Amino acid sequence: QVQLVESGGGLVQAGGSLRLSCAASGSIFRINAMGWYRQAPGKQRELVAVISSGGNTNYADSVKGRFTISRDNAKNTVALQMNSLKPEDTAVYYCNADVLSTGWRRNDFWGQGTQVTVSS
């Protein structure tokens, strides 16, 4: 089994910054893409940013230029640096990883979510 543990959420004023971190552990052979998603109240979960094992990144248009995703393959971690935060960034943020386990099974895993609240 694989576990993803997130940290770094909280309350911040508009224009401020937060850094989210996610650590994967368990029966991991290789992690392919890792990403961050978010879900605001009453809305569907949406992709925020994704990074491949080779470091290629993709961002939602709404966060381009403000958020930066990074990863450490040796430590099986992914981070999301969020700058110039806006009230509309308020949501529960989820870490996601596409994992090939030591049992040669490929699955999608999710963290438990961390709340980010941006006040105006």
Side-chain angles (χ1 to χ4, degrees):
Q1 192 57 283
V2 174
Q3 298 81 37
L4 301 182
V5 178
E6 300 136 338
S7 59
L11 173 65
V12 64
Q13 289 189 330
S17 298
L18 282 175
R19 183 177 178 85
L20 305 182
S21 298
C22 174
S25 62
S27 304
I28 298 170
F29 177 75
R30 184 182 68 237
I31 301 179
N32 300 312
M34 301 185 81
W36 290 94
Y37 290 71
R38 67 186 181 187
Q39 188 167 18
K43 295 187 177 181
Q44 289 189 327
R45 190 172 297 189
E46 63 176 0
L47 173 69
V48 176
V50 63
I51 184 167
S52 71
S53 57
N56 294 318
T57 59
N58 193 30
Y59 296 91
D61 288 343
S62 59
V63 307
K64 282 180 181 176
R66 300 188 297 122
F67 291 10
T68 302
I69 189 170
S70 61
R71 66 187 284 175
D72 184 329
N73 290 333
K75 296 181 179 179
N76 290 332
T77 59
V78 63
L80 185 69
Q81 178 66 42
M82 305 185 293
N83 298 328
S84 303
L85 282 160
K86 304 175 180 180
E88 51 263 44
D89 294 318
T90 296
V92 177
Y93 284 69
Y94 297 91
C95 174
N96 172 267
D98 175 6
V99 178
L100 178 64
S101 72
T102 54
W104 297 103
R105 303 189 75 167
R106 183 177 178 179
N107 290 101
D108 232 20
F109 291 93
W110 294 89
Q112 79 283 0
T114 185
Q115 177 71 45
V116 171
T117 302
V118 185
S119 62
S120 57

